[in-house]
Amino acid sequence: MPLHALPVPAPADRCLTAALRSPSARSPHEPHGDRAALVPVRPLPLYLLDPGSPSSGVPQLAGWRFLLARGGVPVSAAETTLTPDGWAFSHFFDGPFVASTELALTRAEQSAQPWQPRLLSVPRLYMHTLWLHADTAAGAADGRPGEADLLVPLAPAPPGIAPYRALSISVLLPLLSSRLATPLVG
């Protein structure tokens, strides 16, 4: 079933377009060549979650992530961020979350259930999940997960959390909290 993607805010889209056209995007030292030639695909609202905060369980909209494709294949990504002054370009990046986001989205499209795709980041664990929001009519400002929502951890996932295994927030949140409570061994 097709995913019900949210519309990208026009200022966030303009920030990305300007960044792709900037002279720094044309560096010959980029791992994927000229970033200006990349095409933004699969824009997703990005929410941040801090399981240890007083508002734990209520993700905050932080920006939009765009996969950047060459020849129809995502090879990189870019983020815009919501600031007190409006939308701003944040950064370009590469790495494992690009391919794992595409894989999780492709698998979600195979579902019989309609979903609104979002990304949920848990920065303290360097963890990202594809958030499949069951309320396909919800706006991006609504960051409250529903009981029917699923979270799909992207690879690499923290130890003890299986990548690509869809979990409800009521199952995943205690796992995240226990990971944060475990002291790091140095």
Side-chain angles (χ1 to χ4, degrees), residues 43 103 106:
L103 178 60
T106 300

mmCIF file of all heavy atoms in Angstrom, residues 43 103 106:
data_model
loop_
_atom_site.group_PDB
_atom_site.id
_atom_site.type_symbol
_atom_site.label_atom_id
_atom_site.label_comp_id
_atom_site.label_asym_id
_atom_site.label_seq_id
_atom_site.Cartn_x
_atom_site.Cartn_y
_atom_site.Cartn_z
ATOM 1 N N PRO A 43 11.250 12.741 1.206
ATOM 2 C CA PRO A 43 11.368 13.660 2.341
ATOM 3 C C PRO A 43 10.522 13.164 3.511
ATOM 4 O O PRO A 43 9.391 12.727 3.328
ATOM 5 C CB PRO A 43 10.836 14.982 1.784
ATOM 6 C CG PRO A 43 9.929 14.582 0.670
ATOM 7 C CD PRO A 43 10.493 13.309 0.105
ATOM 8 N N LEU A 103 15.601 0.991 2.740
ATOM 9 C CA LEU A 103 15.138 -0.388 2.903
ATOM 10 C C LEU A 103 13.879 -0.451 3.764
ATOM 11 O O LEU A 103 12.903 -1.125 3.409
ATOM 12 C CB LEU A 103 16.237 -1.260 3.512
ATOM 13 C CG LEU A 103 15.864 -2.717 3.785
ATOM 14 C CD1 LEU A 103 15.447 -3.438 2.516
ATOM 15 C CD2 LEU A 103 17.033 -3.444 4.453
ATOM 16 N N THR A 106 10.900 0.855 1.779
ATOM 17 C CA THR A 106 10.497 -0.116 0.761
ATOM 18 C C THR A 106 9.679 -1.240 1.395
ATOM 19 O O THR A 106 8.649 -1.649 0.862
ATOM 20 C CB THR A 106 11.728 -0.673 0.025
ATOM 21 O OG1 THR A 106 12.405 0.424 -0.598
ATOM 22 C CG2 THR A 106 11.338 -1.696 -1.021
#
